[in-house]
Amino acid sequence: MGLLSLLQKLKRSEKEARILVLGLDNSGKTSILKRLSDEEIDSIQPTQGFNVKSLKQNGIALNVWDIGGQKSIRPYWRNYFEATDAIVYVIDSTDEQRMEETGIELDGLLGEQKLQNVPLLVFANKQDLFSAYSSEEISEGLNLTNIDDRPWNIQPCSAKTGEGIQDGLEWIMEFLNDV
Amino acid sequence: MVDIEELKVSIEENRVDIEELKVVSMEENSSSPNEKTESTLFKICSIKMSNEKNETLWKSETSTLNNNDDEVIVHLPSSILQEPVIVREIKFSTGSEAIQRLQLTQNIRLHGNLVEQWDFSFGFCIPFSTNTWEQMIIADENTMDSSILSGNVTIETIFYNDVDVLSRSVWRVFYT
Ligand SMILES: Nc1nc2c(ncn2[C@@H]2O[C@H](COP(=O)(O)OP(=O)(O)OP(=O)(O)O)[C@@H](O)[C@H]2O)c(=O)[nH]1
Ligand SMILES: [Mg+2]
């Protein structure tokens, strides 16, 4: 598991790939990325800006951008859209109260000119918790099946157990390849 | 007839002039306190190096950061040179103004000669934000011996907003 093994699957003519990770605050964006590289996830603070992870091998670079999801930070998301190759959108599957809010934010992203046709992976996170909605329920609730202008996928996962994370990102990597 | 290529060149040159003017006028204003806040409040908070197993190999002390002009001596464990992968995390914070085009350049010099240069373009930074950049560095096959490098390597780290220097530090590295 890890970003390096993902990078090694990347086959493209462009030298850089940019993945943008967005979602409401507390959805688990930072935890997912830390889990991916087997880092501690118990002491993570809310992100007050961005966390970038970069790696480069054989002339190909991968940059993963995790931007804070607090309401006050969301208006700044648009500053990070440029040259994005894939969007990872993280949902807290237990957050029933904010399911509508997260749907509205996602719709906003899908309507952005600069993100047109950019492949979308939705992580239905926190599946380790009993009260989590399944990915099918979320997909239906947020009308994801209506998305027809880009490749998309929803992947149940848990940053706590690690389940689903590598699978989801491997799916995304296929759409970054162009050769 | 007007030579289009020539016209393009002269437009290009004019554009450069305007850019230069902007820089000059900003420098002139730099005595006003507002202009200074942006650069004075940009701050490197910490630098950390770990290996693939997330074991911390080295962590900065505050005294080694944000020195701007003086060369600082830094002692790194020589085991760093043996690790196949190094993960380096730089944490930095911004002041009251958004930064439009944050860039980082690092110059690695051996005996004063540039041997490696790393650049990264962050672009926009949110006002009052704390941000991290984690870079996974995969080691070359043939790393040099620590005894050859120790004391002879300097690492210059410069953060720019476009052309303005926000922070510069130079480390002289000793391997222990
Ligand atoms: N049980 C459980 N808790 C999780 C999971 N993922 C994240 N959390 C917890 O959810 C909280 C928020 O996680 P973060 O990774 O900080 O969320 P974020 O999306 O980065 O939040 P912002 O940075 O504010 O946008 C933390 O307390 C995590 O421990 C998960 O899969 N299961
Ligand atoms: Mg976060």
Side-chain angles (χ1 to χ4, degrees), chain A residues 25-31 44 47 69 125-126 128 158-160:
Chain A
D25 49 298
N26 202 50
S27 56
K29 301 178 289 299
T30 307
S31 303
I44 293 171
T47 308
N125 190 31
K126 307 200 185 181
D128 58 286
S158 163
K160 192 152 195 178

Side-chain angles (χ1 to χ4, degrees), chain A residues 35-46:
Chain A
R35 162 62 66 191
L36 188 65
S37 37
D38 293 326
E39 287 168 73
E40 250 331 294
I41 67 159
D42 297 331
S43 55
I44 293 171
Q45 303 290 316

Side-chain angles (χ1 to χ4, degrees), chain B residues 89-137:
Chain B
E89 186 200 82
I90 304 184
K91 188 187 272 190
F92 55 91
S93 60
T94 62
S96 56
E97 276 175 60
I99 296 175
Q100 296 300 330
R101 294 185 57 189
L102 186 70
Q103 296 262 133
L104 171 69
T105 297
Q106 287 198 301
N107 298 312
I108 323 286
R109 293 189 175 86
L110 179 60
H111 294 294
N113 301 316
L114 191 66
V115 286
E116 217 170 314
Q117 188 170 49
W118 289 334
D119 288 297
F120 194 79
S121 180
F122 295 94
F124 184 82
C125 298
I126 299 166
F128 294 120
S129 60
T130 300
N131 309 286
T132 64
W133 181 42
E134 211 180 271
Q135 186 191 24
M136 191 185 269
I137 303 161

Side-chain angles (χ1 to χ4, degrees), chain B residues 117-176:
Chain B
Q117 188 170 49
W118 289 334
D119 288 297
F120 194 79
S121 180
F122 295 94
F124 184 82
C125 298
I126 299 166
F128 294 120
S129 60
T130 300
N131 309 286
T132 64
W133 181 42
E134 211 180 271
Q135 186 191 24
M136 191 185 269
I137 303 161
I138 300 154
D140 278 345
E141 301 271 299
N142 41 359
T143 341
M144 272 185 267
D145 197 78
S146 62
S147 60
I148 298 172
L149 299 175
S150 193
N152 301 319
V153 173
T154 58
I155 304 176
E156 180 186 30
T157 306
I158 312 172
F159 278 97
Y160 298 92
N161 180 14
D162 214 347
V163 292
D164 300 329
V165 174
L166 299 178
S167 148
R168 174 179 175 272
S169 56
V170 183
W171 291 357
R172 184 165 292 278
V173 181
F174 286 85
Y175 293 96
T176 50

Side-chain angles (χ1 to χ4, degrees), chain A residues 46-84:
Chain A
T47 308
Q48 311 285 352
F50 58 69
N51 301 309
V52 194
K53 282 180 185 266
S54 301
L55 56 163
K56 194 183 214 169
Q57 198 174 38
N58 303 327
I60 299 183
L62 176 64
N63 296 312
V64 183
W65 288 75
D66 158 27
I67 321 279
Q70 288 171 49
K71 215 166 188 163
S72 58
I73 299 178
R74 283 178 230 160
Y76 293 110
W77 281 359
R78 58 177 56 252
N79 292 289
Y80 299 94
F81 293 164
E82 195 81 46
T84 294

